Coordinates of all heavy atoms in Angstrom, one line a residue:
D1 N 68.4 58.6 104.6 CA 68.4 58.8 106.0 C 68.5 60.3 106.3 O 68.5 61.1 105.4 CB 69.6 58.0 106.7 CG 70.9 58.4 106.1 OD1 71.1 59.6 105.8 OD2 71.8 57.5 105.9
D2 N 68.5 60.6 107.6 CA 68.5 62.1 107.9 C 69.8 62.8 107.8 O 69.9 64.0 108.0 CB 67.9 62.3 109.3 CG 68.7 61.6 110.4 OD1 69.5 60.7 110.1 OD2 68.5 61.9 111.6
L3 N 70.9 62.0 107.5 CA 72.2 62.6 107.4 C 72.7 62.9 106.0 O 73.5 63.7 105.7 CB 73.3 61.8 108.2 CG 73.1 61.7 109.7 CD1 74.1 60.7 110.3 CD2 73.2 63.1 110.3
G4 N 72.2 62.1 105.1 CA 72.6 62.2 103.7 C 73.9 61.6 103.4 O 74.6 61.2 104.3
P5 N 74.3 61.6 102.1 CA 75.7 61.1 101.7 C 76.8 61.9 102.4 O 76.7 63.1 102.8 CB 75.7 61.4 100.2 CG 74.3 61.3 99.8 CD 73.5 62.0 100.9
V6 N 77.9 61.2 102.6 CA 79.1 61.8 103.3 C 79.7 62.8 102.3 O 79.8 62.6 101.1 CB 80.1 60.7 103.6 CG1 81.4 61.2 104.1 CG2 79.5 59.7 104.6
L7 N 80.1 63.9 102.9 CA 80.8 65.0 102.1 C 82.3 64.9 102.2 O 82.9 64.9 103.3 CB 80.3 66.4 102.5 CG 81.1 67.5 101.9 CD1 80.8 67.6 100.4 CD2 80.7 68.9 102.5
I8 N 83.0 64.7 101.0 CA 84.4 64.7 100.9 C 84.8 66.0 100.2 O 84.1 66.5 99.3 CB 84.9 63.5 100.1 CG1 84.4 62.2 100.7 CG2 86.4 63.5 100.0 CD1 84.7 61.0 99.8
Q9 N 85.9 66.6 100.6 CA 86.5 67.7 99.8 C 88.0 67.4 99.6 O 88.7 66.9 100.5 CB 86.3 69.0 100.5 CG 84.8 69.4 100.5 CD 84.6 70.8 101.0 OE1 84.1 71.0 102.2 NE2 84.9 71.8 100.2
A10 N 88.5 67.8 98.4 CA 89.9 67.5 98.1 C 90.6 68.8 97.9 O 90.2 69.7 97.1 CB 90.0 66.7 96.8
G11 N 91.8 69.0 98.5 CA 92.6 70.2 98.3 C 93.5 70.5 99.5 O 93.5 69.7 100.5
V12 N 94.3 71.6 99.4 CA 95.1 72.0 100.5 C 95.2 73.5 100.6 O 95.9 74.0 101.5 CB 96.6 71.4 100.4 CG1 96.6 69.9 100.7 CG2 97.2 71.7 99.0
S13 N 94.6 74.3 99.7 CA 94.8 75.7 99.7 C 94.0 76.4 100.9 O 93.2 75.7 101.5 CB 94.3 76.3 98.4 OG 92.8 76.2 98.3
E14 N 94.3 77.6 101.1 CA 93.6 78.4 102.1 C 92.1 78.5 101.9 O 91.3 78.3 102.8 CB 94.2 79.8 102.3 CG 95.6 79.8 103.0 CD 95.4 79.4 104.5 OE1 94.5 79.8 105.2 OE2 96.3 78.6 104.9
Y15 N 91.7 78.7 100.7 CA 90.3 78.8 100.4 C 89.7 77.4 100.6 O 88.5 77.4 101.1 CB 90.1 79.3 98.9 CG 90.3 80.7 98.7 CD1 91.4 81.2 98.0 CD2 89.5 81.7 99.3 CE1 91.6 82.6 97.8 CE2 89.7 83.0 99.1 CZ 90.8 83.5 98.4 OH 91.0 84.8 98.2
F16 N 90.3 76.4 100.2 CA 89.8 75.0 100.4 C 89.6 74.8 101.9 O 88.6 74.3 102.3 CB 90.8 74.0 99.9 CG 90.7 72.6 100.5 CD1 89.7 71.8 100.1 CD2 91.5 72.3 101.6 CE1 89.5 70.5 100.7 CE2 91.3 71.0 102.2 CZ 90.4 70.2 101.8
S17 N 90.6 75.1 102.7 CA 90.6 74.9 104.1 C 89.4 75.7 104.8 O 88.8 75.2 105.7 CB 91.9 75.3 104.8 OG 92.9 74.4 104.4
H18 N 89.2 76.9 104.3 CA 88.1 77.7 104.8 C 86.8 77.0 104.6 O 85.9 77.0 105.6 CB 88.1 79.1 104.2 CG 87.0 80.0 104.6 ND1 86.9 80.5 105.9 CD2 85.9 80.4 103.9 CE1 85.8 81.2 106.0 NE2 85.1 81.2 104.8
V19 N 86.5 76.5 103.4 CA 85.2 75.9 103.2 C 85.2 74.5 103.8 O 84.2 74.1 104.5 CB 85.0 75.7 101.6 CG1 83.7 75.0 101.3 CG2 84.9 77.1 101.0
A20 N 86.2 73.7 103.7 CA 86.2 72.3 104.2 C 86.2 72.3 105.7 O 85.5 71.4 106.3 CB 87.5 71.6 103.7
S21 N 86.8 73.2 106.4 CA 86.7 73.2 107.9 C 85.3 73.4 108.4 O 85.0 73.0 109.5 CB 87.6 74.3 108.4 OG 87.2 75.6 108.0
R22 N 84.4 74.0 107.5 CA 83.1 74.3 107.9 C 82.1 73.2 107.5 O 81.0 73.0 108.1 CB 82.6 75.6 107.3 CG 83.2 76.8 107.9 CD 82.6 78.1 107.4 NE 83.0 78.3 106.0 CZ 82.1 78.5 105.0 NH1 80.8 78.5 105.3 NH2 82.5 78.7 103.8
H23 N 82.5 72.4 106.5 CA 81.6 71.4 105.9 C 82.0 70.0 105.8 O 81.2 69.1 106.0 CB 81.2 71.9 104.5 CG 80.5 73.2 104.5 ND1 79.2 73.4 105.0 CD2 80.9 74.4 104.0 CE1 78.9 74.7 104.8 NE2 79.9 75.3 104.2
A24 N 83.3 69.8 105.5 CA 83.7 68.4 105.1 C 83.7 67.4 106.2 O 83.9 67.7 107.4 CB 85.2 68.5 104.5
E25 N 83.3 66.2 105.8 CA 83.4 65.1 106.8 C 84.6 64.2 106.5 O 85.1 63.5 107.4 CB 82.1 64.2 106.6 CG 80.9 65.0 107.0 CD 79.6 64.2 106.8 OE1 79.2 64.2 105.6 OE2 79.0 63.7 107.7
V26 N 85.1 64.2 105.3 CA 86.4 63.6 104.9 C 87.1 64.5 104.0 O 86.5 65.2 103.2 CB 86.1 62.3 104.1 CG1 87.4 61.6 103.7 CG2 85.3 61.3 104.9
I27 N 88.5 64.6 104.2 CA 89.2 65.4 103.2 C 90.3 64.5 102.6 O 90.8 63.6 103.2 CB 89.9 66.7 103.8 CG1 90.9 66.4 104.9 CG2 88.8 67.6 104.3 CD1 91.8 67.6 105.2
F28 N 90.6 64.9 101.3 CA 91.6 64.1 100.5 C 92.6 65.1 100.1 O 92.6 65.7 99.0 CB 90.8 63.5 99.3 CG 91.7 62.9 98.2 CD1 92.7 62.0 98.6 CD2 91.4 63.1 96.9 CE1 93.5 61.5 97.6 CE2 92.2 62.5 95.9 CZ 93.3 61.7 96.3
P29 N 93.6 65.4 100.9 CA 94.6 66.4 100.6 C 95.9 65.8 99.9 O 96.1 64.6 100.0 CB 95.0 66.9 102.0 CG 94.9 65.7 102.9 CD 93.7 64.9 102.3
V30 N 96.6 66.6 99.2 CA 97.9 66.2 98.6 C 99.0 66.7 99.6 O 99.2 67.9 99.7 CB 98.1 66.9 97.2 CG1 99.4 66.5 96.6 CG2 97.0 66.5 96.3
L31 N 99.6 65.7 100.2 CA 100.6 66.0 101.2 C 101.9 65.3 100.9 O 102.0 64.1 101.2 CB 100.1 65.6 102.6 CG 98.8 66.3 103.1 CD1 98.3 65.7 104.4 CD2 99.0 67.8 103.2
P32 N 102.9 65.9 100.2 CA 104.0 65.2 99.6 C 105.0 64.6 100.6 O 105.7 63.6 100.3 CB 104.7 66.3 98.8 CG 104.3 67.6 99.4 CD 102.9 67.4 99.9
N33 N 105.0 65.1 101.8 CA 106.0 64.5 102.8 C 105.4 64.7 104.2 O 104.4 65.4 104.4 CB 107.3 65.2 102.7 CG 107.2 66.7 102.9 OD1 106.8 67.2 103.9 ND2 107.6 67.5 101.8
I34 N 106.0 63.9 105.1 CA 105.4 63.8 106.4 C 105.4 65.1 107.2 O 104.5 65.4 108.0 CB 106.0 62.6 107.2 CG1 105.1 62.2 108.4 CG2 107.4 63.0 107.7 CD1 105.5 60.8 108.9
S35 N 106.5 65.9 107.0 CA 106.6 67.2 107.8 C 105.5 68.1 107.3 O 104.9 68.8 108.2 CB 108.0 67.8 107.6 OG 108.2 68.1 106.2
R36 N 105.3 68.2 106.0 CA 104.2 69.1 105.6 C 102.9 68.6 106.0 O 101.9 69.4 106.3 CB 104.3 69.3 104.0 CG 103.2 70.3 103.5 CD 103.4 70.6 102.1 NE 102.3 71.5 101.7 CZ 101.9 71.6 100.4 NH1 102.3 70.9 99.5 NH2 100.9 72.5 100.2
A37 N 102.7 67.3 106.0 CA 101.5 66.7 106.4 C 101.1 67.0 107.9 O 100.0 67.4 108.2 CB 101.5 65.1 106.3
G38 N 102.1 66.9 108.7 CA 101.9 67.2 110.1 C 101.5 68.7 110.3 O 100.6 69.0 111.1
Q39 N 102.1 69.6 109.6 CA 101.8 71.0 109.8 C 100.4 71.3 109.3 O 99.6 72.0 109.9 CB 102.8 71.8 109.0 CG 102.6 73.3 109.1 CD 103.6 74.1 108.2 OE1 104.5 73.6 107.7 NE2 103.4 75.4 108.2
F40 N 100.1 70.8 108.0 CA 98.8 71.0 107.5 C 97.7 70.5 108.4 O 96.7 71.1 108.6 CB 98.7 70.4 106.1 CG 97.3 70.4 105.5 CD1 96.8 71.5 104.8 CD2 96.5 69.3 105.6 CE1 95.6 71.6 104.3 CE2 95.2 69.3 105.1 CZ 94.7 70.5 104.5
I41 N 97.9 69.3 108.8 CA 96.8 68.6 109.6 C 96.6 69.3 110.9 O 95.4 69.5 111.4 CB 97.1 67.1 109.8 CG1 97.0 66.4 108.5 CG2 96.2 66.5 110.9 CD1 97.7 65.1 108.5
S42 N 97.6 69.8 111.6 CA 97.5 70.5 112.8 C 96.7 71.8 112.6 O 95.8 72.2 113.3 CB 98.9 70.8 113.4 OG 98.7 71.6 114.6
E43 N 97.1 72.5 111.5 CA 96.4 73.8 111.2 C 94.9 73.5 110.8 O 94.1 74.3 111.2 CB 97.1 74.5 110.1 CG 98.5 75.0 110.5 CD 99.3 75.6 109.3 OE1 98.8 75.5 108.2 OE2 100.4 76.1 109.6
F44 N 94.7 72.5 110.0 CA 93.3 72.2 109.5 C 92.4 71.8 110.7 O 91.3 72.3 110.8 CB 93.3 71.2 108.5 CG 92.0 70.9 107.9 CD1 91.4 71.7 107.0 CD2 91.3 69.7 108.4 CE1 90.1 71.5 106.6 CE2 90.0 69.5 107.9 CZ 89.4 70.3 107.0
R45 N 92.9 71.0 111.5 CA 92.0 70.6 112.7 C 91.8 71.8 113.6 O 90.7 71.9 114.1 CB 92.7 69.5 113.5 CG 92.8 68.1 112.7 CD 92.9 67.0 113.7 NE 93.3 65.7 113.0 CZ 92.4 64.9 112.5 NH1 91.1 65.2 112.4 NH2 92.8 63.7 111.9
G46 N 92.7 72.7 113.7 CA 92.5 73.9 114.4 C 91.4 74.8 113.8 O 90.5 75.3 114.5
K47 N 91.3 74.8 112.5 CA 90.3 75.6 111.8 C 88.9 74.9 111.9 O 87.9 75.6 112.0 CB 90.6 75.7 110.3 CG 91.8 76.6 110.0 CD 92.2 76.6 108.6 CE 93.5 77.5 108.4 NZ 93.9 77.4 107.0
V48 N 88.9 73.6 112.0 CA 87.6 72.9 112.2 C 87.1 73.2 113.6 O 85.9 73.5 113.8 CB 87.8 71.3 112.1 CG1 86.6 70.6 112.4 CG2 88.2 71.0 110.6

């Protein structure tokens, strides 16, 4: 089809976020607790 396979990226680092915010359709991050998860997700969606 005209969209191609879905792109997933796995990580949490700054370099990861820089690339994934521009390209990823799904991300698979390692988020050990809910407080870190909330902070990471807020920052990542902002970068997207």
